[in-house]
Amino acid sequence: MTSPQMMNAQQAPTNAQAITTRATYATEQVAPLRQKPRLEARFATNTGMVTAAQRLRAEIFGAEYGVAFDGLDVDAYDDFCLHLNVYDVANDLLIATTRVLSSEQAALAGGFYSAQEFDLGALKNYNGRILEVGRTCVHPDYRSGAAITVLWSALSDYLMREGFNLLIGCASISLADGGTTLASVMPTLREKHFVGDELRVSPSREIMLSAAGTGAVSVPPLLKAYLRMGCKIGGEACWDPEFNCADVFIFMDVQAMAGRYAQRFLKTA
């Protein structure tokens, strides 16, 4: 006959296994399940939304360009800009951001941000409203195209609704590969995408390439999106020592964009 003490001893491993199984099952059950992303663009309406954008910029730029941020990517232009964020509302995540600076706000800020890198004298006689876009970034997990589509759909709507004529800004090409990508991309930009001489800008720190690239051209995603929208490149690239990248200046005629690519954004977003 088995004693109660022996029965408890025999049952103990089984009970322990059952407890472990229940704990594992409970953990699996309460772990948040990722929902199918549902993306939505919103202009920042409070300090918290701006701070979240600055935090996302610091995370992405820090990882991709090796810049050390103290938690936030902040500069003096932020106070003069509107910040446009894209959210995965199904999972409550901020996944992309950009900021825009109108010509009127640029006058209050002391000029466009791009003027720190390029001589924008060619724009002094431009007759129309200008909007500068900058500090654009998309979380690595959301670079399949949907996030940038939603971002530019909202931006296109804003440009046309507010009566802007020209979109300007900078697109970056990393120099982490020693300039290989830049050397491969620039000949194509010069041949097919440079703006006319009347709007040409000059970089304050021009990059001298020792030779043209020989590999396949791999255009960075953001620059590729600009080119697909029909933008023009303002001239030679400028070296950005803080981010160790090359910046190219972009021009985009709003009416041309509306006719070619913006309407596609508005239909598919």
Side-chain angles (χ1 to χ4, degrees):
M1 180 175 179
T2 304
S3 67
Q5 289 81 2
M6 291 180 63
M7 184 180 295
N8 289 338
Q10 292 171 350
Q11 291 176 341
T14 303
N15 290 340
Q17 291 171 358
I19 292 171
T20 301
T21 300
R22 286 198 301 271
T24 302
Y25 178 75
T27 301
E28 292 175 348
Q29 289 295 97
V30 301
L33 298 176
R34 184 182 178 87
Q35 303 297 315
K36 183 177 180 180
R38 182 165 62 86
L39 306 184
E40 182 179 297
R42 305 173 196 152
F43 277 103
T45 56
N46 56 58
T47 302
M49 294 174 74
V50 173
T51 300
Q54 294 167 333
R55 183 176 297 111
L56 180 67
R57 284 166 16 191
E59 292 173 359
I60 294 177
F61 295 150
E64 296 188 354
Y65 295 103
V67 183
F69 294 101
D70 188 17
L72 302 176
D73 169 34
V74 182
D75 69 15
Y77 288 85
D78 279 331
D79 291 339
F80 298 90
C81 293
L82 287 177
H83 299 262
L84 179 60
N85 295 340
V86 177
Y87 299 87
D88 175 354
V89 295
N91 296 288
D92 193 28
L93 296 171
L94 171 63
I95 56 95
T97 187
T98 193
R99 71 181 187 188
V100 293
L101 181 66
S102 68
S103 46
E104 295 84 1
Q105 287 296 103
L108 298 176
F112 287 112
Y113 175 85
S114 305
Q116 298 179 108
E117 295 189 306
F118 297 92
D119 180 354
L120 303 184
L123 293 179
K124 289 181 179 179
N125 297 323
Y126 182 80
N127 185 25
R129 292 192 75 199
I130 300 174
L131 186 72
E132 181 184 51
V133 61
R135 281 300 202 264
T136 305
C137 60
V138 180
H139 190 283
D141 293 345
Y142 290 82
R143 293 181 182 174
S144 62
I148 201 71
T149 295
V150 171
L151 184 70
W152 293 120
S153 173
L155 180 59
S156 299
D157 180 67
Y158 177 74
L159 282 163
M160 291 181 281
R161 186 178 68 246
E162 296 298 322
F164 286 100
N165 306 100
L166 184 67
L167 181 71
I168 65 170
C170 294
S172 298
I173 301 170
S174 175
L175 295 175
D177 61 1
T180 299
T181 299
L182 179 65
S184 298
V185 168
M186 286 307 299
T188 301
L189 296 184
R190 292 189 191 101
E191 179 183 354
K192 298 181 178 181
H193 301 289
F194 266 24
V195 75
D197 291 340
E198 71 280 2
L199 287 177
R200 194 70 56 89
V201 301
S202 57
S204 58
R205 293 178 297 274
E206 186 172 352
I207 302 173
M208 303 302 295
L209 298 172
S210 57
T214 56
V217 177
S218 179
V219 181
L222 181 58
L223 178 57
K224 184 182 295 185
Y226 282 132
L227 296 176
R228 284 176 176 172
M229 284 188 285
C231 82
K232 295 293 184 180
I233 304 301
E236 296 298 329
C238 180
W239 176 48
D240 182 342
E242 180 183 4
F243 285 78
N244 188 33
C245 68
D247 288 333
V248 292
F249 190 82
I250 63 106
F251 287 97
M252 192 177 303
D253 180 86
V254 173
Q255 290 305 313
M257 179 179 66
R260 289 188 55 189
Y261 207 63
Q263 292 305 314
R264 175 182 167 184
F265 277 144
L266 293 170
K267 291 176 183 177
T268 60

